[in-house]
Amino acid sequence: QNKPVESGGGSVESGGSLRLSCAASEVSFSQYAMGWLRQAPGKEREGVAAIGPDGSTSYVDSVKGRFTISQDNTKSTLYLQMDNLKPEDTAMYYCAAGQRPTTPINVQRWMGRLAYMGQGTQVTVSS
């Protein structure tokens, strides 16, 4: 219960785009900050983007200007639009809910407050 469900991953060439979706009907977007984190083989988990209940957003430096996080409160769905993808973006991407969100949201601090996380969706970018 309360586990988000991700979709939209796949394989693309460098420079391509993907849009990830996360269905989170059992998570209150007004109480939790939603976001995306990723993990590549042999590497630690990395917070990619987060969005707070106040609508503020935060991104890791490596994706700024290329990724856009958004949410549809009426559908309880979170999105991550990923453009100009690079091979180094290859990873398993997870949707997660963070408790006690900061205002404005900060993706690094959000990573330390995760309450729920999905099973992940694989993104592979070839050069």
Side-chain angles (χ1 to χ4, degrees):
Q1 60 272 28
N2 291 331
K3 275 190 176 289
V5 179
E6 305 93 338
S7 62
S11 297
V12 296
E13 293 185 350
S14 181
S17 297
L18 283 173
R19 188 194 196 201
L20 305 183
S21 298
C22 170
S25 60
E26 297 186 25
V27 179
S28 171
F29 282 16
S30 64
Q31 296 182 15
Y32 290 87
M34 301 300 296
W36 296 90
L37 58 108
R38 65 187 178 186
Q39 187 167 24
K43 295 188 177 181
E44 294 187 356
R45 285 178 181 174
E46 175 184 51
V48 175
I51 183 167
D54 65 342
S56 60
T57 59
S58 176
Y59 300 88
V60 68
D61 285 347
S62 61
V63 308
K64 285 180 180 178
R66 300 188 298 121
F67 291 10
T68 303
I69 189 171
S70 62
Q71 62 186 27
D72 184 334
N73 293 336
T74 64
K75 298 180 179 179
S76 297
T77 302
L78 179 73
Y79 303 99
L80 184 68
Q81 177 66 40
M82 304 186 295
D83 297 318
N84 191 21
L85 282 160
K86 303 177 180 181
E88 51 264 42
D89 295 318
T90 295
M92 185 72 79
Y93 283 71
Y94 301 89
C95 170
Q99 53 194 349
R100 295 180 287 113
T102 59
T103 304
I105 194 67
N106 176 282
V107 66
Q108 279 75 31
R109 295 180 69 179
W110 171 81
M111 280 289 287
R113 302 179 178 189
L114 299 183
Y116 309 108
M117 193 169 74
Q119 296 294 320
T121 185
Q122 177 68 36
V123 171
T124 303
V125 185
S126 59
S127 58

